[in-house]
Amino acid sequence: MHEEELLMASAGTDGEPAVTYEEMICLLEACLIEQPFPQNLMSHIAYYFISRFRQSMPALRLLLNSGYPAEAGNILRMLVEYTITLKFIANQPDIRASRFIEEASIIPLHPEFEMLAMAEETKMLDWFHSIYLPYSSAITPHSSRELDELFVPGCHEDCDTMDLLALSCDLAVVLLDCIRSL
């Protein structure tokens, strides 16, 4: 199936995704292999993010199939961050692409590259809020004094495998749309 047909089919008419998880991985691979990327900084950044996204999708499925939904939630969180960051850079590529490369080691600390602000600008707040749980952290769990319980990073233990796989496919469509607009 041609790339654009597959992208159009991904928005199923009956609420069910018309593109399977495997087809989405093939689409990402096709984009990486077959697309002629112009030789400029923004295209290299786009290639970097789509490569990272493509490499993370099998990890998501492996963790889900192995019974580790919370850890799979962390992978989905990375996919959301990749997409938000690419869309943010693409909004002002002349300024942000070089800054992203020059300051890659301090981006999480640089106010311009703060994830919540980037999610707001890119209109991806729903994605941001769907994966960032209260008190969550990609590194350590936090306890809540008010609720006297521990919040584990990522998603809840009762996450549905098919929901997370469908979310990763939906997010891949957002990423590919961003890349097609470059």
Side-chain angles (χ1 to χ4, degrees), residues 41-127:
L41 187 56
M42 192 60 218
S43 68
H44 288 290
I45 290 171
Y47 186 83
Y48 165 79
F49 280 111
I50 197 169
S51 296
R52 297 295 306 235
F53 196 101
R54 165 55 187 94
Q55 291 169 348
S56 298
M57 284 188 74
L60 175 77
R61 185 171 202 170
L62 179 64
L63 286 167
L64 288 169
N65 289 343
S66 300
Y68 297 101
E71 289 76 7
N74 286 331
I75 301 293
L76 185 62
R77 182 177 180 167
M78 285 187 337
L79 299 178
V80 169
E81 289 176 352
Y82 294 155
T83 306
I84 289 172
T85 304
L86 179 61
K87 285 186 73 172
F88 179 77
I89 294 169
N91 281 348
Q92 295 179 8
D94 296 337
I95 299 166
R96 293 177 178 162
S98 60
R99 181 170 226 154
F100 175 77
I101 297 298
E102 291 167 4
E103 301 181 19
S105 63
I106 61 168
I107 281 178
L109 303 176
H110 194 285
E112 183 182 11
F113 287 93
E114 198 274 322
M115 195 56 60
L116 178 59
M118 293 190 313
E120 286 177 29
E121 181 180 318
T122 59
K123 297 179 179 28
M124 291 192 66
L125 275 175
D126 288 342
W127 282 102

Side-chain angles (χ1 to χ4, degrees), residues 121-140:
E121 181 180 318
T122 59
K123 297 179 179 28
M124 291 192 66
L125 275 175
D126 288 342
W127 282 102
F128 177 87
H129 291 301
S130 72
I131 200 62
Y132 282 84
L133 301 174
Y135 309 105
S136 73
S137 166
I139 300 169
T140 58

